[in-house]
Amino acid sequence: MTALEQAGVQEWSAPVLREVQSGAAPSQPKRPGRDLRRALIALDVAAVAIGWSVALWADTTTVQPLMLRMTALVVLVAATVAMLASQRLYLSRVCAIRSVEISGLARASVLAVVAALVLPRALPVELPTETALLGGALAFVLLNVARGGFRTWLHAGRRAGRFLRPVVIVGANDEAYDLFKLVRDHPETGFCIAAVAGPPCGGVTFPDTLPRLPIDRDLATTVYRVGANGVLIASSALHRLDLNRHVRAFLKAGLHVHLSSGLRGVDQRRVRSQPVAHESFFYIERISLASWQLVAKRTIDLVLTVVAGLPLTPLLLLGALAVKLEDRGPVFFRQRRVGRDGREFTIVKLRTMVPNAEALYHDLVETHAGRDGPLIKLADDPRRTRVGRVLERLSIDELPQLWNVLKGEMSLVGPRPAQPREIAAFDEELRGRLAVPPGITGLWQVEARDNPSFSAYRRYDLFYIENWSITLDVAILVATLQRVAARGLRLASPL
């Protein structure tokens, strides 16, 4: 019996089992990452080309030969894509975080405008400043739209089990189990767990269907043989000497190595590499919010609410009419929610559920199996009406909450305003969300709105209150527009 069989490795595919038994060199299965990167580059090229084409052909003040204009277009597209690459926006570990991706797109677009202003020095072409600014702005908007659609498609595929990279969790303690739950609850990360390496520790129990591997000197080879090409290491599960030895072995074998820091809820932009005596250390920057940021947040809320409120009024009226015509019930839904510092207020929404939805809530509490927290999140809530499904997918039902924003009870961006009964079930750490105003949209809504896991809701809310900034708010607002547009396109596609 082999060491792998003694460790309880089961459910091998036939090719992998033959490799293990024969001791052949490990083979690496084909990964979807390269094809996905090529598709993203092609999408970016198309978006950038459209943006710069519109800007160049909208310039009616400059007369120049078609061939010269086409040359300028090719150079501008190539320069913009190069700027995207300079921001590392083709690395999954960078563009996986939407707020980071949007910030990178903004920087790349600004650099592209600078390149466009320098272009006349390199080519005999006239390019007015207005044209350069328009091209950069259009490129930024179209890149966000294109990447938003790509992200939506990719996340849907990953939730269905496609485009996933098999990895092995190294360690079997409580930190390792947290890594397992993180991957399980967030398939959009692109990982799936192929096996766990290490003996059980501290009473932690992994699913019986998950293969268990021994942590020995051949672990790097074994990782390949279970079909994985990367590892997630729970650093607290290994002795420091073993940790160093295995990390070097993994890297030598060409594996992707992800080392858990043990930190939770700290924005990666606050983590800096700070070596001490040539050893790897991390410096964690403290949160420092100037008073002007709080004033700026409120100013952004008021300005955007007024500017967006007027054009969206006809849409709100149409939604209200549709609600009334469907079942002749009340148009608006009012409910008590808990705001900043525990102050209660009444939230107003367009009604998306049957009139007696509140009475049916208690039945759902009793019958909804598998919920892991005080919230009920159903993909197909039986209380929701046909009109309500459309209103919710397009976020039209949230528009009346702009009145709550004007009154100062809510913000455009913040944690979801919870009900009093939900707050009563929250632990002390999660009640920290009451330190900031609740929002119409937030990090949870743009990153995991379709994820029913309470742990995802908790993780994103705590991350927001720990790492709030104006930049993060702006990124969430842009991501919200992307998400609503993508939902609208999916809703209209059958038509």
Side-chain angles (χ1 to χ4, degrees), residues 313-454:
T313 299
L315 195 60
L316 175 60
L317 294 176
L318 287 174
L321 181 62
V323 171
K324 191 66 177 178
L325 291 177
E326 182 174 32
D327 57 16
R328 305 295 178 179
V331 171
F332 295 105
F333 171 74
R334 294 175 174 84
Q335 191 177 59
R336 297 296 291 174
R337 299 291 178 98
V338 181
R340 187 178 185 182
D341 298 327
R343 291 190 294 267
E344 292 191 16
F345 67 98
T346 300
I347 199 174
V348 183
K349 301 174 60 177
L350 287 179
R351 181 172 58 84
T352 60
M353 297 187 179
V354 295
N356 62 334
E358 286 289 274
L360 299 175
Y361 175 85
H362 299 287
D363 294 334
L364 284 176
V365 171
E366 298 296 331
T367 60
H368 181 46
R371 66 191 184 100
D372 58 351
L375 302 182
I376 292 182
K377 177 71 175 177
L378 297 179
D380 189 19
D381 197 316
R383 301 173 298 169
R384 191 165 290 116
T385 64
R386 289 178 300 173
V387 169
R389 289 188 176 90
V390 176
L391 296 179
E392 187 180 63
R393 291 189 69 83
L394 298 179
S395 297
I396 297 174
D397 61 318
E398 310 284 359
L399 292 180
Q401 294 169 45
L402 293 175
W403 178 245
N404 294 111
V405 175
L406 287 175
K407 293 168 63 179
E409 297 168 335
M410 293 179 63
S411 175
L412 291 177
V413 181
R416 171 186 176 271
Q419 301 177 44
R421 63 175 173 234
E422 294 170 346
I423 293 292
F426 289 170
D427 58 32
E428 183 177 354
E429 184 181 24
L430 191 53
R431 287 196 185 102
R433 69 204 301 282
L434 300 179
V436 298
I440 295 179
T441 186
L443 192 60
W444 173 74
Q445 287 92 328
V446 300
E447 295 287 358
R449 179 172 176 171
D450 297 325
N451 190 334
S453 168
F454 178 72

Side-chain angles (χ1 to χ4, degrees), residues 39-104:
L40 183 58
I41 293 174
L43 200 62
D44 284 350
V45 169
V48 169
I50 293 173
W52 283 113
S53 296
V54 171
L56 290 173
W57 266 264
D59 176 21
T60 58
T61 62
T62 304
V63 179
Q64 48 194 352
L66 177 61
M67 184 57 66
L68 196 57
R69 186 169 292 194
M70 291 297 297
T71 301
L73 175 61
V74 171
V75 172
L76 288 170
V77 171
T80 306
V81 174
M83 298 306 172
L84 294 172
S86 73
Q87 299 299 312
R88 303 191 301 172
L89 288 170
Y90 295 113
L91 298 178
S92 60
R93 62 180 179 270
V94 176
C95 58
I97 304 175
R98 191 172 307 205
S99 59
V100 175
E101 181 184 52
I102 292 172
S103 299

Side-chain angles (χ1 to χ4, degrees), residues 213-226:
L213 310 178
I215 298 182
D216 55 23
R217 63 179 61 255
D218 296 323
L219 181 56
T221 301
T222 309
V223 168
Y224 277 124
R225 286 176 176 162
V226 297

Side-chain angles (χ1 to χ4, degrees), residues 56-214:
L56 290 173
W57 266 264
D59 176 21
T60 58
T61 62
T62 304
V63 179
Q64 48 194 352
L66 177 61
M67 184 57 66
L68 196 57
R69 186 169 292 194
M70 291 297 297
T71 301
L73 175 61
V74 171
V75 172
L76 288 170
V77 171
T80 306
V81 174
M83 298 306 172
L84 294 172
S86 73
Q87 299 299 312
R88 303 191 301 172
L89 288 170
Y90 295 113
L91 298 178
S92 60
R93 62 180 179 270
V94 176
C95 58
I97 304 175
R98 191 172 307 205
S99 59
V100 175
E101 181 184 52
I102 292 172
S103 299
L105 291 175
R107 289 191 297 270
S109 300
V110 171
L111 292 173
V113 171
V114 174
L117 294 175
V118 175
L119 183 62
R121 297 177 179 272
L123 294 176
V125 60
E126 296 183 37
L127 195 66
T129 302
E130 295 81 2
T131 301
L133 293 174
L134 177 61
L138 288 174
F140 175 72
V141 171
L142 293 175
L143 282 168
N144 273 287
V145 171
R147 283 183 171 238
F150 180 82
R151 179 187 295 271
T152 300
W153 168 79
L154 180 59
H155 285 186
R158 284 174 168 170
R159 284 193 294 270
R162 304 191 304 273
F163 314 124
L164 297 175
R165 175 194 294 175
V167 294
V168 170
I169 293 180
V170 179
N173 63 348
D174 54 352
E175 183 184 0
Y177 191 70
D178 283 344
L179 296 179
F180 166 75
K181 291 192 297 181
L182 184 70
V183 173
R184 179 196 64 189
D185 296 340
H186 296 274
E188 67 273 9
T189 59
F191 294 131
C192 66
I193 305 302
V196 175
C201 179
V204 175
T205 304
F206 289 88
D208 294 334
T209 57
L210 204 59
R212 301 297 292 268
L213 310 178

